[in-house]
Amino acid sequence: MSGDLLRWRNQLLAVVRKEIRQTLQDRRVLFLLVVAPFLQLLVFGFAIDLGVDAVPTVVVDQDRSPEGRALVAGLLADGTLVEVGEAASVAEAEAALARGEAAAAVFLPSGLARDLDRGDPATVQVVLDGSDPTRSGVAGGAAVRFFGARGLALARDRLEARLGAGRGLPSVEVRPRLLYNPTLSSPVYMVPGIAGMLLLIVTTVVTSMGLARERELGTLEAVRVTPIPTPLLMLGKVLPFVAVGLFDVTLAITAGAWIFEVPLRGSLWLFYGLTLLYLLTTVGMGLLISTIAQNQQQAFLGGLMFLLPAMLLSGTLTPIHAMPSWLQPVTLLNPLRYYMEGIRAVLLKGATTGDVAHAALGLAVLGSAILGTAVRRFRKRVA
Amino acid sequence: MRRGLVRIGALAAKEALHIRRDPFTLYLALALPLLMIVLFGYGVSLDIDHIPLAVHDEDRSPESRALVDAFTAAHEFEAVGALEDAGAAGEAFARGRASAVLTVPAGYADRLARGEVATVALLLDASDAQATQQALTRADALAQVVTAEVVQARLGGMQVAAPLSARAWTRYNPAGRSALFLVPGLTAYVLAIVCVLLTSLAVAREWERGSMEQLFSTPVGRLEIIVGKLLPYLALGGVQVLLVLTAGAWIFDVPARGDLVVLAVASLLFLVGMLGQGLLISVVTRNQLVATQASTMSAMLPSMLLSGFMFPIANMPGVLRALSHVVPARYFITVLRGVLLKGTGWAELWPDLGMLALFATLMIAASTARFQRKLA
Amino acid sequence: MSPAIVVDGLSRRFGRFTAVDDVSFEVGRGEVFGYLGANGAGKSTTIRMLCGLLAPTAGDAVVAGARVSTQPEEVRARIGYMSQRFSLYPELRVAENLEFFGGAHGMGGRSLARRLEAVLERVGLAGLGRERTQDLPGGMRQRVALAGAILHEPAVVFLDEPTAGVDPWVRRRFWGLIRELADGGTTIFVTTHYMDEAELCGRVGLMVAGRLPALDTPEGLKRTHAPGRVWSVRGGELPPEQARLRLAALPGVLDVQSMGAGLRVRVDRHATLGADDLAASLSGTVEVEEDAASMEDVFLAVVDAEAQRVGTAAAFGEA
């Protein structure tokens, strides 16, 4: 029995040592395992900010009244819209939209001040470049809300004046309280997600290409003639990359905390536990791809076919609840989804083991299914 | 000249044969764009709605129910149930069951009846800044609507015409559909991935196997080698452009309002630039694993992050904004959105076409120069 | 002592194609057993089954006491294997490659280090452990691969076309190593398509289209499959093709083949045809020497016989 254990230890060590030596031997591979993810984290962290502000706006003021100017000033006050110039006509403003110089145009019709003074309904027109619907939605919403609030306030003043002093009109006010990320910083939410995506790129792609390379070289056959049990071989091949993954994720949250002020509210043990489970699914996927791919090119494209959907359907960039209902169940098969939910809850919200049990379970089930399939496919003796 | 053309033709035919010998790669190269179209078109909704909302109503009056109804009737929020205890909000957030909790305090209806300001609390899981922003905007708008209703009820149903209002007209994409925004950008992204990767991998493989040196021993010129290698991939890229745009038009009703000749010219320039970049990478790296990573870093990520495809360039720090000017996808996406959505043409888009032409020329020149040096 | 390899009715089919068809033989301990055949004749498939890499569809084999159908892992623990492609990691050093293959067989620590030194010494690469494998010339890399296959002192070593693509001098040295191994009691099973290498084996099995129609010592094979005397004929004034026809027409001549600048004539052992008769049939100064039958004669004769047995097209389609 102990003889078996010793043999297994030697076999596992041999594979692990070989993988590490191969990796360390090529500086460029080392770079892509360690430095590249760090750079990507920085670029992603700074680049992904879906918030909308400073929408370039042209103003078409045909009223030329102090009231009109005051309204425009009020509209621009919160910085959502920024005036980039004036236009003489609506046609001129729309040309600016077509050229992309402006994304919104505010049109104050002549007679606006007069109508306001008389109490006649006055309408301000806002023309939006809808090619970016988020931007046009926010800009349009801001304008409609601003003028609506002004209208409501004016109406209230008039009604109260008519009803007499001391008799106020009711109103409803929403007082928001922001938990976890009160400054609404984008990186705080994105960095954990980016860490998950980077792990996927590094571990899945490198594992799948590594095995495909052995197949191309012919060394895989030589390894298969040795008495190494397949699970041990697989384990030895993935362990170094699991270690690299753990290193990368440590780098990511350290950089995240320092540079982007991502909080670390929950237990780090829980965070690393989830990471370990997640890494088993990503390296397992790499192995599975490499049992199908015949060469490195195919392995990489195969990795991409897994990677891109996994990233999009994980809730990293846009929330899952905003997806169409037929697509939502598909995300249940996505390891990144569980990991993302789990570590965001742990890092940002201080979730406990009980809170993320479902994510851990999802990862464990997917991981064993993926690894099991990979080992079975690899073992199947094909000519 | 004629002999040069024949040699280019022979090289291109050989390269095309390589592509055909490996049908798996070919399928992937064609399936990937379609997969991406469907995923981005359906899976990415920039308009965040159905934010899971839990309600904690301490007032339990018809007025408070009307408020809750107003919130949950809007598609931005989706009721996920009542919360008995306000303290349970933290747990609901941590488990991801709710992202917002609306608390209506006791005495809400009474305050309205007295004509006072009634305040309700909206507790938000703000970890997703983008969704939170939209939720805040929407909650404000809903408060306006509810206030107007309450005032109207107070005045005995008298219609109050708002003395001031704004009307928004949305050009190019009146329904505000994310797909119209994403599909043009996606075209550039997919082309950047597939073209740079396929060329860099295919040529890096030739370096690895040493068949490139063999080509050098033939009387074929460097530029001829480059053109011959690129031609089949250029054709493949052309097929992909058509595939993505046709799928976009069929599945997501992406219009084509402008001059398609402009689009064709831009696609050609962009493809040549991307293929040239892939070739340059392969000459420099000569190793497939390293070539994939170089392609990922220099083409795939910038085309996604710094092109304006999804993430607004205006929000980025100065360094990244400056970097985005050397990302060709940025200019291609401007042309695509201009031609497809806005119906613009040469007059508006010539600067972008110029940048694409410049990039293509630089890439071909650089890879030819590197080829010369490798030989020397 | 039981034989090192016992093969009994071994067959392997891929779909409708039969790669190995009902093959049986035995290999004794310390024997150098050659497996000869054209590309695609079924040599590699046989070796893959014997190494436990591929399950037989019928029949079975016992290698070093373990049954390939039921104990493939056990088989792999007791054998060494070196394939026609260099099965080494090019970017690793020689010692690192060997440490890996030793470790894969469960070796480790001091015993592995000692064994590694001994094996490098044995294959004539002492002191080269720190060299990067890809920087070595082909012949040396091949010896490293052999070192990897014998590191764990296997009872049986399988060499699948070990000398493909290396020059004759290197091949000769390599065969010296094989001989030494066999003298030390290791059983060697080697496939090749070099006829001169087949001469160096104790016994040779000849595979044609998945079958094993001939198996004997090289001398025995020549006696059975290439009987008669062989004459080498050189010179003369006739154009080669005409000379060939002349010789073939003589009574008792079995066949005539061109060989370099001259011709090889195989003559029925019982015919009275002599050197002078051959020379006389051609005009000019003709040099005639008695020559020995070669394995190539055997190979061609066996392929020929098989072709006649199953129909020409089938046999040559495979060869």
Side-chain angles (χ1 to χ4, degrees):
Chain A
M1 191 57 220
S2 78
D4 269 354
L5 281 179
L6 187 68
R7 199 181 67 228
W8 286 336
R9 196 205 65 172
N10 285 341
Q11 290 175 331
L12 186 64
L13 274 180
V15 182
V16 169
R17 202 175 289 146
K18 185 216 87 186
E19 291 293 328
I20 292 175
R21 279 172 174 163
Q22 277 182 305
T23 309
L24 290 184
Q25 197 272 323
D26 194 339
R27 292 263 161 77
R28 297 177 300 183
V29 174
L30 201 62
F31 172 86
L32 74 89
L33 285 178
V34 177
V35 184
F38 182 67
L39 289 177
Q40 287 169 13
L41 180 84
L42 287 186
V43 178
F44 266 101
F46 281 117
I48 301 189
D49 182 355
L50 287 164
V52 175
D53 54 50
V55 177
T57 308
V58 287
V59 177
V60 187
D61 185 357
Q62 295 189 332
D63 195 44
R64 308 230 157 251
S65 60
E67 289 87 345
R69 288 292 354 154
L71 280 176
V72 170
L75 174 64
L76 300 177
D78 75 341
T80 307
L81 301 173
V82 170
E83 184 172 345
V84 292
E86 291 207 19
S89 65
V90 172
E92 203 180 290
E94 289 203 3
L97 291 192
R99 281 194 303 272
E101 290 162 11
V106 178
F107 176 63
L108 306 176
S110 65
L112 179 78
R114 190 194 59 221
D115 288 344
L116 279 177
D117 193 42
R118 285 192 201 146
D120 289 346
T123 306
V124 173
Q125 313 264 11
V126 181
V127 184
L128 301 159
D129 171 0
S131 55
D132 179 346
T134 314
R135 194 177 53 181
S136 61
V138 170
V144 170
R145 221 154 22 95
F146 171 76
F147 289 108
R150 267 308 156 89
L152 208 60
L154 282 173
R156 176 188 298 274
D157 289 349
R158 277 186 205 142
L159 284 168
E160 280 177 349
R162 225 191 297 163
L163 292 169
R167 292 202 50 200
L169 283 172
S171 75
V172 176
E173 196 184 288
V174 174
R175 185 165 297 169
R177 226 181 93 213
L178 305 180
L179 281 188
Y180 312 130
N181 181 13
T183 56
L184 290 184
S185 142
S186 225
V188 164
Y189 187 60
M190 285 300 168
V191 164
I194 296 161
M197 296 200 295
L198 293 180
L199 285 186
L200 196 60
I201 296 176
V202 170
T203 54
T204 305
V205 170
V206 174
T207 318
S208 69
M209 284 185 80
L211 221 85
R213 183 162 178 276
E214 289 222 21
R215 205 186 293 271
E216 277 181 18
L217 280 174
T219 47
L220 193 61
E221 173 122 329
V223 174
R224 287 185 55 192
V225 187
T226 66
I228 294 189
T230 305
L232 222 55
L233 174 65
M234 295 277 186
L235 191 66
K237 274 195 150 312
V238 304
L239 272 184
F241 297 106
V242 169
V244 169
L246 286 175
F247 175 79
D248 282 348
V249 91
T250 307
L251 200 65
I253 60 160
T254 312
W258 275 358
I259 303 171
F260 300 108
E261 295 175 358
V262 177
L264 309 173
R265 295 201 176 98
S267 139
L268 278 181
W269 287 114
L270 194 53
F271 170 75
Y272 278 108
L274 285 171
T275 305
L276 206 59
L277 280 177
Y278 173 63
L279 283 172
L280 289 183
T281 67
T282 61
V283 293
M285 205 59 212
L287 288 178
L288 188 58
I289 290 168
S290 65
T291 61
I292 302 164
Q294 292 301 313
N295 55 47
Q296 294 182 69
Q297 201 177 4
Q298 289 181 359
F300 186 78
L301 284 174
L304 223 50
M305 288 291 266
F306 168 67
L307 208 118
L308 290 171
M311 272 162 45
L312 286 175
L313 300 179
S314 64
T316 311
L317 298 173
T318 58
I320 290 168
H321 57 73
M323 291 173 193
S325 51
W326 59 266
L327 197 56
Q328 291 186 20
V330 180
T331 64
L332 293 175
L333 294 173
N334 184 358
L336 186 54
R337 179 215 156 124
Y338 297 104
Y339 181 58
M340 198 73 64
E341 280 180 2
I343 63 166
R344 272 179 179 160
V346 171
L347 292 180
L348 308 184
K349 307 178 195 173
T352 61
T353 313
D355 291 334
V356 295
H358 67 285
L361 186 70
L363 285 174
V365 169
L366 282 178
S368 29
I370 293 170
L371 275 172
T373 315
V375 170
R376 208 170 41 247
R377 277 197 59 99
F378 187 81
R379 252 198 201 146
K380 215 169 86 182
R381 291 200 257 160
V382 266
Chain B
M1 184 61 207
R2 255 204 63 182
R3 200 173 299 162
L5 285 181
V6 171
R7 284 199 292 251
I8 290 176
L11 266 176
K14 193 218 81 179
E15 199 63 31
L17 201 67
H18 271 301
I19 301 178
R20 275 187 39 206
R21 284 248 180 80
D22 189 357
F24 185 69
T25 305
L26 187 63
Y27 294 150
L28 281 180
L30 293 177
L32 197 66
L34 282 181
L35 180 75
M36 300 269 286
I37 279 275
V38 172
L39 282 176
F40 270 90
Y42 286 117
V44 178
S45 168
L46 295 170
D47 181 22
I48 298 166
D49 45 18
H50 301 293
I51 296 168
L53 175 80
V55 176
H56 177 56
D57 185 357
E58 290 172 353
D59 197 46
R60 296 178 192 277
S61 59
E63 285 83 357
S64 69
R65 270 194 286 282
L67 175 81
V68 169
D69 285 349
F71 264 81
T72 53
H75 63 93
E76 276 84 357
F77 294 101
E78 191 170 286
V80 290
L83 215 59
E84 288 310 315
D85 171 17
E91 199 196 321
F93 287 174
R95 300 209 163 181
R97 253 191 255 119
S99 299
V101 176
L102 178 69
T103 305
V104 187
Y108 170 79
D110 292 345
R111 293 184 73 88
L112 288 181
R114 288 199 299 273
E116 293 170 5
V117 176
T119 305
V120 297
L122 185 66
L123 189 62
L124 287 161
D125 171 355
S127 48
D128 185 351
Q130 156 81 355
T132 309
Q133 195 78 59
Q134 291 197 18
L136 285 174
T137 309
R138 189 59 198 165
D140 254 8
L142 285 167
Q144 270 186 25
V145 171
V146 174
T147 302
E149 278 168 7
V150 169
V151 169
Q152 212 163 297
R154 178 62 176 269
L155 298 175
M158 188 179 96
Q159 284 292 327
V160 187
L164 177 65
S165 64
R167 261 189 91 177
W169 305 86
T170 307
R171 292 277 181 269
Y172 316 131
N173 181 10
R177 289 168 44 222
S178 298
L180 291 200
F181 173 63
L182 291 173
V183 167
L186 192 60
T187 313
Y189 181 47
V190 168
L191 284 182
I193 296 182
V194 179
C195 292
V196 176
L197 268 177
L198 275 189
T199 2
S200 67
L201 278 179
V203 183
R205 186 160 53 171
E206 293 216 18
W207 287 111
E208 276 183 7
R209 292 183 180 170
S211 45
M212 202 51 112
E213 272 83 356
Q214 213 176 327
L215 252 186
F216 282 150
S217 63
T218 62
V220 188
R222 314 286 157 248
L223 194 63
E224 286 171 15
I225 293 181
I226 291 182
V227 175
K229 288 237 159 275
L230 292 194
L231 271 182
Y233 293 98
L234 193 62
L236 190 61
V239 172
Q240 285 175 339
V241 175
L242 288 177
L243 198 67
V244 172
L245 292 182
T246 314
W250 270 2
I251 310 176
F252 299 107
D253 294 322
V254 177
R257 300 192 175 112
D259 189 349
L260 289 180
V261 177
V262 179
L263 189 60
V265 171
S267 306
L268 188 69
L269 290 174
F270 181 68
L271 280 175
V272 170
M274 286 288 109
L275 296 173
Q277 188 179 341
L279 203 61
L280 185 61
I281 290 171
S282 75
V283 182
V284 177
T285 64
R286 299 204 199 185
N287 166 303
Q288 291 189 68
L289 184 62
V290 181
T292 55
Q293 292 304 317
S295 308
T296 312
M297 292 286 283
S298 71
M300 200 169 134
L301 290 177
S303 301
M304 180 181 190
L305 291 172
L306 303 178
S307 65
F309 155 42
M310 273 183 85
F311 312 107
I313 295 171
N315 290 359
M316 295 172 192
V319 183
L320 293 184
R321 247 179 312 164
L323 263 178
S324 77
H325 286 287
V326 296
V327 176
R330 177 189 174 147
Y331 303 101
F332 189 41
I333 288 177
T334 308
V335 175
L336 282 161
R337 289 206 178 117
V339 172
L340 295 176
L341 303 182
K342 298 188 181 179
T344 46
W346 300 105
E348 291 89 356
L349 298 171
W350 66 265
D352 301 286
L353 291 167
M355 290 304 283
L356 287 174
L358 182 67
F359 183 77
T361 316
L362 280 178
M363 280 301 144
I364 295 294
S367 44
T368 316
R370 287 298 298 225
F371 256 80
Q372 303 278 33
R373 279 202 16 220
K374 287 284 176 201
L375 185 72
Chain C
M1 257 191 346
S2 61
I5 304 176
V6 181
V7 178
D8 182 20
L10 199 65
S11 299
R12 173 74 207 197
R13 267 182 298 280
F14 298 103
R16 290 177 55 198
F17 169 64
T18 305
V20 175
D21 187 6
D22 192 17
V23 167
S24 305
F25 59 88
E26 285 183 7
V27 181
R29 296 202 177 178
E31 192 177 351
V32 178
F33 187 83
Y35 215 52
L36 198 67
N39 285 327
K43 289 177 304 194
S44 284
T45 309
T46 311
I47 246 188
R48 289 167 63 83
M49 284 192 282
L50 295 183
C51 292
L53 280 181
L54 192 68
T57 40
D60 208 343
V62 177
V63 176
R67 199 164 276 280
V68 297
S69 59
T70 52
Q71 307 162 276
E73 309 244 332
E74 206 42 51
V75 169
R76 277 182 254 158
R78 298 181 195 180
I79 61 160
Y81 171 80
M82 174 186 162
S83 90
Q84 48 190 333
R85 291 201 284 170
F86 287 120
S87 42
L88 300 167
Y89 296 96
E91 68 273 30
L92 295 187
R93 299 174 198 285
V94 168
E96 291 174 344
N97 261 301
L98 295 182
E99 273 172 25
F100 169 67
F101 284 106
H105 278 98
M107 302 166 73
R110 294 225 102 129
S111 65
L112 175 59
R114 266 199 305 275
R115 180 72 192 142
L116 213 151
E117 286 303 312
V119 166
L120 279 178
E121 175 93 47
R122 168 141 218 189
V123 299
L125 294 175
L128 292 178
R130 307 236 351 118
E131 292 295 313
R132 212 166 281 292
T133 312
Q134 62 198 0
D135 299 337
L136 295 177
M140 283 198 187
R141 265 186 288 176
Q142 175 202 44
R143 277 184 276 156
V144 178
L146 179 67
I150 60 173
L151 195 61
H152 57 289
E153 300 178 79
V156 181
V157 176
F158 287 92
L159 305 169
D160 191 4
E161 304 200 2
T163 55
V166 296
D167 62 66
W169 188 80
V170 173
R171 267 169 53 199
R172 175 150 313 174
R173 273 200 73 175
F174 190 78
W175 273 87
L177 284 173
I178 292 179
R179 196 67 262 165
E180 284 174 28
L181 269 179
D183 291 345
T186 309
T187 307
I188 309 280
F189 185 103
V190 55
T191 72
T192 178
H193 53 243
Y194 291 115
M195 300 304 158
D196 58 330
E197 288 186 356
E199 306 264 9
L200 300 171
C201 298
R203 279 190 311 151
V204 174
L206 225 157
M207 221 176 175
V208 183
R211 293 169 44 81
L212 192 67
L215 188 147
D216 204 342
T217 59
E219 291 67 36
L221 284 174
K222 286 175 200 165
R223 258 199 314 279
T224 328
H225 296 279
R229 303 172 69 183
V230 175
W231 300 91
S232 148
V233 180
R234 225 164 285 177
E237 286 161 355
L238 290 175
E241 196 43 38
Q242 219 174 323
R244 216 181 116 126
L245 288 174
R246 283 260 181 101
L247 291 170
L250 295 175
V253 170
L254 295 170
D255 66 53
V256 185
Q257 289 165 18
S258 19
M259 183 85 168
L263 295 166
R264 273 169 69 82
V265 185
R266 201 148 57 82
V267 180
D268 193 326
R269 194 164 287 278
H270 306 293
T272 51
L273 213 58
D276 296 344
D277 302 317
L278 292 174
S281 71
L282 306 174
S283 41
T285 7
V286 180
E287 210 179 293
V288 179
E289 267 175 27
E290 178 143 20
D291 201 352
S294 72
M295 284 303 291
E296 191 154 348
D297 296 320
V298 173
F299 182 68
L300 291 172
V302 172
V303 169
D304 232 26
E306 274 296 291
Q308 275 167 19
R309 199 181 62 80
V310 293
T312 318
F316 275 95
E318 279 314 306

